Amino acid sequence: MPTNRQFINQRDNVISEALEGLAATYPDLITHDAATSLISRAQPTFGKVGLVSGGGSGHEPLHAGFVGKGMLDVAVAGAVFASPTALQVQAGTTLADKGVGVLQIVKNYTGDVLNFQIAAELASDNGTVVESVIVDDDLASDSDNGGPGRRGTAAVITVEKICGALAEQGADLSTVTAAGRDIVTRSRTLALTLDGCTHPGNTSPAFTLNAHEVEFGVGIHGERGTGRVPFAAADELTEQLIIPLVDSLGLKSGQPVIAIVNGLGGTYPLELSIIARHMHEVLRGRGITVARSLVGSYVTSLDMHGVSITLTAVDDNIIAGWDAPVRTPTLTW
Amino acid sequence: MTTTIDGTTARDWINEFTRIFANAQQRLTELDRLAGDGDFGTNIASALRRVSDVLPSTADATYRTVFSAASEGFLRTGGTSGPLFGMWFRSIARAGHNSAVLPELAGGVAGGLGAIQSLGGAKVGDNTMIDALAPASEALSEAAALNLSVPAALENAARASRTGALSTGDLIARRGRASYVGELARGVLDPGAVTIALFFEAGATAAGSPQQWQDLGVNTVKR
């Protein structure tokens, strides 16, 4: 008797059926191209910088859920936890080109960086001007061993929101690119999980934990974290995520931040709000102003029962970009 | 002696590469299982299937259309090796038209080596495909400077890349998947480097310099 039953049909059709379902739900916002696994705006805006992002699937609602007015123009979906191919990304980049250049927003993983970079080169040959922002916010993968560097996780939401607002307001490619890179330097994320995730079609999770263990410093590809910590009450685990973020960003009293409490797929909204409650308490206790915050499951790792917290040190301009109107399947205000 | 690579030779080269890769797939997967995540053989095999799907017919085959098809097939493949091979073939394709003379081929191979290095950041000695590709590229350039025939040049390139591939058994990976397992991968040949050697061996055979190349792979795993 399998312990992990799932609502899927054929394993090979998981991504295409999900994208088809999303597009059918929001026909006024997005369009699905089955051949290339692209989701793009139903009504493209010409003469504006195009924003394209993407990567492996399994992180829903990232990336397709952020396509729409005020955020992305195109999202490119790979297989579960696998980069889309260079030719898929090329198609997405070309589609996002509305005459004044394209910004690729890429999470820092070897395959994603490589395939987006190749796609940029191929698209450039056809006349598209391409820039890129590499998002590398995950504090747990911070090391100076000359390896691939910090992974890209939930700060991608903040980058896409701020760049999306600027692009919508008519900013040029270099301005949108610089703003995206600035957000990356201002953002850090840390995650932990109570259980591993299970791939579509598999019957057991990628890793399992004992009842007294918590996997600390996990990424979003179902991989193991940087270590194990004892299971504890929500407030204590929340603190273990926040304090290193505050230290890493050097946040001082009076510094405003945008804070994202992000479920990794299997965490109840009730739990996320409990975590958010204590996050606000801890930051308030240090005099750090939570200027804006978001709580929900936005950058997930299939059904992982975990949470990440992302802090971005902001100023008034960034807050204005965050507040700018957005209309996508996942974020709307 | 042959001094150019035309569409027919290029097609033969790709087909021979596909054939000898199929023979080697099992042991390359075994190498990747020891040092990486075990999907290398399947990935390259599926790339080669995509290549054969778009390979031009004998009538349409030119040097450029054949290697462009190779590039497309690999770029349609995910992971990291697929796109790197794809960009390498793209550079080879762009070096010629209906056919390519040896200096053009050598230029394309060298350009592709540069493209892979700028994308992947690997140098000689990092235990990657570069360890086979760099000496092959050098051998081709030397052969071009000496005005050697295409079959002789490809045979030199094959020997140089084979020596380079064998050298990866003594190296610790600093790039790619194997870099995550460190010492564990010592004694294991890099499957990407072996594949490059197979490619040039296929080229030598297709150009009319057939050799009995001894199997590269599991026999040389030291542990």
Side-chain angles (χ1 to χ4, degrees):
Chain A
M1 173 80 180
T3 51
N4 285 279
R5 299 188 298 162
Q6 297 153 340
F7 294 108
I8 68 167
N9 298 306
Q10 297 299 314
R11 191 199 285 246
D12 286 348
N13 299 340
V14 164
I15 310 306
S16 59
E17 289 181 2
L19 293 176
E20 200 180 322
L22 187 73
T25 311
Y26 299 97
D28 54 333
L29 292 182
I30 57 172
T31 300
H32 173 222
D33 179 48
T36 44
S37 246
L38 296 180
I39 291 279
S40 58
R41 290 195 195 189
Q43 282 117 25
T45 310
F46 290 86
K48 110 181 216 320
V49 168
L51 257 55
V52 60
S53 189
S57 293
H59 309 304
E60 292 67 29
L62 191 76
H63 297 269
F66 297 116
V67 174
K69 202 172 166 52
M71 275 181 97
L72 298 178
D73 294 273
V74 176
V76 193
V80 170
F81 297 164
S83 165
T85 69
L87 293 183
Q88 274 176 280
V89 181
Q90 181 199 6
T93 305
T94 304
L95 184 61
D97 184 12
K98 298 296 177 243
V100 291
V102 175
L103 177 64
Q104 298 179 331
I105 299 172
V106 189
K107 297 192 301 314
N108 190 32
Y109 294 98
T110 310
D112 285 352
V113 171
L114 183 65
N115 284 295
F116 272 81
Q117 203 179 336
I118 290 173
E121 202 173 319
L122 299 175
S124 302
D125 283 354
N126 301 329
T128 299
V129 181
V130 189
E131 286 285 355
S132 71
V133 171
I134 308 289
V135 182
D136 61 347
D137 53 314
D138 174 49
L139 191 53
S141 43
D142 204 347
S143 81
D144 50 9
N145 66 0
R150 290 188 302 263
R151 297 174 289 212
T153 59
V156 73
I157 304 169
T158 323
V159 173
E160 289 175 6
K161 179 68 188 76
I162 303 300
C163 291
L166 284 169
E168 213 68 55
Q169 290 157 13
D172 64 15
L173 181 58
S174 64
T175 306
V176 180
T177 305
R181 289 178 184 159
D182 181 43
I183 296 296
V184 172
T185 65
R186 294 164 170 271
S187 303
R188 289 293 179 274
T189 298
L190 205 48
L192 53 76
T193 186
L194 307 184
D195 250 320
C197 65
T198 304
H199 278 243
N202 284 6
T203 52
S204 57
F207 62 86
T208 53
L209 294 167
N210 292 320
H212 57 86
E213 292 173 328
V214 172
E215 189 80 24
F216 190 84
V218 287
I220 53 171
H221 293 106
E223 67 269 54
R224 295 282 304 276
T226 50
R228 288 186 178 177
V229 297
F231 180 67
D235 284 2
E236 195 181 323
L237 293 175
T238 303
E239 253 162 77
Q240 290 184 34
L241 293 181
I242 292 182
I243 305 302
L245 295 177
V246 169
D247 290 347
S248 168
L249 287 169
L251 299 177
K252 300 280 187 302
S253 180
Q255 171 66 54
V257 296
I258 291 175
I260 301 174
V261 174
N262 174 59
L264 295 182
T267 310
Y268 308 123
L270 195 69
E271 296 174 293
L272 294 177
S273 292
I274 289 169
I275 292 163
R277 169 188 165 275
H278 194 57
M279 178 190 77
H280 282 269
E281 278 178 354
V282 172
L283 292 175
R284 197 185 310 126
R286 294 182 162 235
I288 296 160
T289 315
V290 180
R292 301 290 183 271
S293 58
L294 206 57
V295 179
S297 293
Y298 298 104
V299 181
T300 62
S301 187
L302 296 169
D303 61 346
M304 192 177 267
H305 190 180
V307 62
S308 69
I309 294 180
T310 302
L311 298 182
T312 304
V314 297
D315 56 25
D316 289 348
N317 279 337
I318 298 173
I319 295 171
W322 182 265
D323 286 345
V326 57
R327 191 152 176 265
T328 68
T330 303
L331 288 188
T332 293
W333 58 70
Chain B
M1 271 305 224
T2 323
T3 55
T4 64
I5 297 166
D6 57 12
T8 309
T9 312
R11 247 182 78 92
D12 290 349
W13 186 345
I14 295 295
N15 285 331
E16 174 66 7
F17 178 44
T18 305
R19 189 187 70 77
I20 62 177
F21 186 86
N23 290 339
Q25 186 186 338
Q26 196 74 45
R27 53 177 208 281
L28 292 175
T29 296
E30 177 64 13
L31 293 176
D32 189 38
R33 205 183 55 69
L34 291 169
D37 54 5
D39 62 358
F40 181 85
T42 359
N43 273 348
I44 301 298
S46 65
L48 285 167
R49 268 196 302 281
R50 292 187 184 98
V51 173
S52 81
D53 287 347
V54 290
L55 204 60
S57 67
T58 320
D60 297 334
T62 67
Y63 170 88
R64 181 169 282 188
T65 56
V66 167
F67 284 110
S68 293
S71 173
E72 186 180 334
F74 276 88
L75 286 175
R76 280 196 193 289
T77 305
T80 51
S81 300
L84 290 176
F85 274 98
M87 291 304 271
W88 183 56
F89 282 125
R90 179 167 176 266
S91 175
I92 295 176
R94 288 154 68 111
H97 293 279
N98 282 336
S99 62
V101 291
L102 184 55
E104 291 173 326
L105 174 71
V109 168
L113 168 65
I116 292 179
Q117 288 189 293
S118 76
L119 287 164
K123 308 179 300 294
V124 169
D126 283 351
N127 197 6
T128 69
M129 63 202 282
I130 297 297
D131 290 320
L133 185 42
S137 176
E138 209 169 301
L140 282 179
S141 300
E142 274 171 23
L146 294 171
N147 264 326
L148 296 191
S149 70
V150 163
L154 285 172
E155 199 178 320
N156 288 356
R159 284 187 206 291
S161 58
R162 168 174 280 255
T163 306
L166 288 170
S167 78
T168 63
D170 296 324
L171 296 170
I172 300 204
R174 276 190 286 271
R175 293 275 165 184
R177 275 298 169 111
S179 64
Y180 297 114
V181 297
E183 270 296 334
L184 280 179
R186 199 184 274 283
V188 181
L189 297 188
D190 178 69
V194 173
T195 304
I196 293 286
L198 295 179
F199 176 74
F200 284 108
E201 288 168 14
T205 304
S209 177
Q211 285 271 335
Q212 277 305 94
W213 300 100
Q214 206 189 348
D215 277 359
L216 268 171
V218 170
N219 330 352
T220 50
V221 174
K222 289 174 187 163
R223 58 201 183 90

